[in-house]
Amino acid sequence: MNSGIKKILVIGGGFAGMTAALQLSRHGFEVDLAEIDAGWRSYGAGISLHGSTLRVLKDLGLIERFLEEGYASDGLAIRGVDDSVIMRIPTPRVAGADIPGSGGIMRPALAGILSAAVRSSSVNVRLGVTFTEFNQDDDGVQVTFNDGSVGRYDLVIGADGLYSAVRARLFENAPKPRFIGQSVWRAVLPKPPEIDTVTMWMGPKLKVGLNGVNRDQVYLFLTEDRETNDFVAPETFVETLRALLERFPSPLIRNIAAELSSENHIIYRPLEQMLLPRPWSKGRVVLIGDAVHATTPHLAAGACIGIEDAMVLAQELGRHNNALSALEAFEARRWERCRMVVENSGRLADIEVKGGSREEHASIMQVSMKTLAEAI
């Protein structure tokens, strides 16, 4: 530990925040993790993970837990109207020759794996707690919490998501999250015997896909074009998603539509993105994850790049002799990769909304997956 930093506060207990707290504690730092949700809950259906995320889970010593609770496979299959495979996009085995190139898992299951690791580490977890203000000087940051307590830290990490309160405090003129004209539907289903890897069907104005989340289940994702970000009543979820699925001639998708019910844990979310220009830090406060590069799910890489942020930040803090140079090195390593994910995801959305070239769509996905397979 050469940076002069000993005590660190991580604000936000999502995937990026948990990974940061865990890895920093393993590097010998004293870490507090403040999470505003007293239940430390994780919401959502499934999540798709690239091989690059599996590589990080391996580095964290958690890949076996993932393989037990999640699902791993190779390649991305694009199917036609009759369900025949018309294209396969490879997913390199970047986590090791014995670990498939992509995977999926239920979000609460992944959160449970990470939170169990954090709890078994030296991290001081503070639930139901967040900051109300912070003030920094050359030597550290004084933080006041909502429970009235005060702490002093050598570094504060804002990992508090898309609507980050740390970002708002740090950069008053930061860009706001932008609705991109699409929304995503997700549901959890029994695993069809025909599905053995990530599979997608491309239709006019709609895209639907399936990915395994464990041995017996898949999660369905469907992106829908929407001109405005209007409220969708939960009581209409089943009938609305069924009607969207019925627009696909695929026999497999039509069977799913016919059997859809409220038991399938349907979730609807409008899609927003935000990329904060550099710098991502000011003094001794730095932002990671969705707080700086919130992306849409078109490349299934949002959680990936947030988790990678945490790993890279821990590395740089351990190898530099002062905080400023460590944070500058962190940003230099992360900027282009994260910018690529946000902007390429946005371009994929534009192609889908405007009915653009499917060849360009496939090319962007191939180039992006190749880039994500590269070392961080």
Side-chain angles (χ1 to χ4, degrees):
M1 191 187 314
N2 302 315
S3 63
I5 293 174
K6 294 182 179 180
K7 189 172 183 180
I8 298 174
L9 171 66
V10 179
I11 300 173
F15 296 147
M18 284 190 284
T19 305
L22 178 61
Q23 194 67 356
L24 287 165
S25 71
R26 291 177 174 179
H27 277 66
F29 295 98
E30 181 183 348
V31 183
D32 286 359
L33 174 63
E35 164 54 43
I36 194 170
D37 180 10
W40 208 359
R41 294 162 292 183
S42 178
Y43 301 95
I47 181 171
S48 295
L49 303 178
H50 283 287
S52 49
T53 316
L54 302 185
R55 175 172 56 197
V56 174
L57 292 176
K58 183 178 180 180
D59 290 343
L60 289 169
L62 301 176
I63 191 64
E64 288 78 13
R65 286 287 313 278
F66 169 82
L67 294 172
E68 290 172 3
E69 298 193 35
Y71 186 82
S73 60
D74 288 302
L76 165 65
I78 308 294
R79 293 188 180 238
V81 294
D82 61 352
D83 288 330
S84 62
V85 176
I86 59 177
M87 180 185 297
R88 288 190 183 273
I89 299 175
T91 53
R93 291 194 165 199
V94 299
D98 58 337
I99 301 172
S102 63
I105 191 170
M106 293 296 290
R107 282 180 175 269
L110 180 58
I113 291 171
L114 285 167
S115 64
V118 171
R119 287 186 185 278
S120 64
S121 74
S122 63
V123 175
N124 176 35
V125 178
R126 302 182 63 187
L127 299 181
V129 174
T130 191
F131 83 100
T132 55
E133 63 177 310
F134 59 79
N135 296 284
Q136 57 178 313
D137 52 41
D138 291 342
D139 299 319
V141 188
Q142 191 88 354
V143 182
T144 303
F145 296 95
N146 60 338
D147 63 357
S149 62
V150 177
R152 186 166 178 84
Y153 300 88
D154 300 308
L155 181 73
V156 173
I157 300 171
D160 52 341
L162 177 61
Y163 292 97
S164 169
V166 181
R167 182 183 70 233
R169 174 67 183 270
L170 206 61
F171 300 108
E172 293 182 358
N173 298 317
K176 305 296 184 185
R178 178 182 70 89
F179 175 61
I180 66 162
Q182 279 190 323
S183 296
V184 64
W185 295 84
R186 295 186 174 95
V188 182
L189 316 163
K191 185 176 179 294
E194 303 93 332
I195 301 301
D196 59 1
T197 190
V198 186
T199 303
M200 293 198 306
W201 292 256
M202 304 293 292
K205 302 297 182 180
L206 293 172
K207 176 181 70 179
V208 66
L210 299 172
N211 190 14
V213 290
N214 52 49
R215 294 179 181 85
D216 303 315
Q217 294 177 305
V218 296
Y219 89 96
L220 175 144
F221 51 92
L222 181 146
T223 52
E224 174 195 9
D225 296 352
R226 283 182 174 259
E227 292 185 4
T228 56
N229 185 5
D230 299 321
F231 174 75
V232 179
E235 59 268 23
T236 69
F237 281 5
V238 173
E239 62 186 70
T240 304
L241 180 55
R242 179 183 292 122
L244 292 169
L245 293 170
E246 287 175 344
R247 290 164 60 179
F248 287 86
S250 153
L252 196 158
I253 296 300
R254 285 182 174 269
N255 287 341
I256 289 173
E259 298 176 4
L260 198 67
S261 75
S262 58
E263 299 297 314
N264 296 120
H265 307 290
I266 299 170
I267 295 171
Y268 169 81
R269 184 168 70 87
L271 296 181
E272 298 175 293
Q273 67 174 193
M274 190 279 303
L275 178 64
L276 182 70
R278 293 178 67 180
W280 289 351
S281 62
K282 183 179 290 186
R284 290 174 173 264
V285 182
V286 62
L287 301 169
I288 66 171
D290 282 355
V292 279
H293 48 64
T295 185
T296 60
H298 293 79
L299 290 173
C304 169
I305 56 177
I307 289 171
E308 287 181 349
D309 283 351
M311 300 294 283
V312 171
L313 181 58
Q315 289 174 3
E316 296 300 337
L317 288 171
R319 67 170 53 138
H320 284 266
N321 59 12
N322 65 78
L324 179 60
S325 61
L327 297 181
E328 288 178 344
F330 160 72
E331 288 185 24
R333 286 179 62 184
R334 298 305 297 156
W335 169 256
E336 282 299 327
R337 188 176 179 89
C338 297
R339 181 203 59 77
M340 181 276 295
V341 169
V342 175
E343 293 184 357
N344 283 10
S345 296
R347 178 56 187 155
L348 291 173
D350 287 341
I351 292 171
E352 293 170 12
V353 169
K354 298 173 182 176
S357 165
R358 292 191 179 185
E359 290 75 18
E360 182 187 358
H361 193 284
S363 176
I364 290 173
M365 291 194 67
Q366 288 177 314
V367 170
S368 300
M369 288 183 179
K370 182 179 178 181
T371 301
L372 285 167
E374 295 173 357
I376 60 172

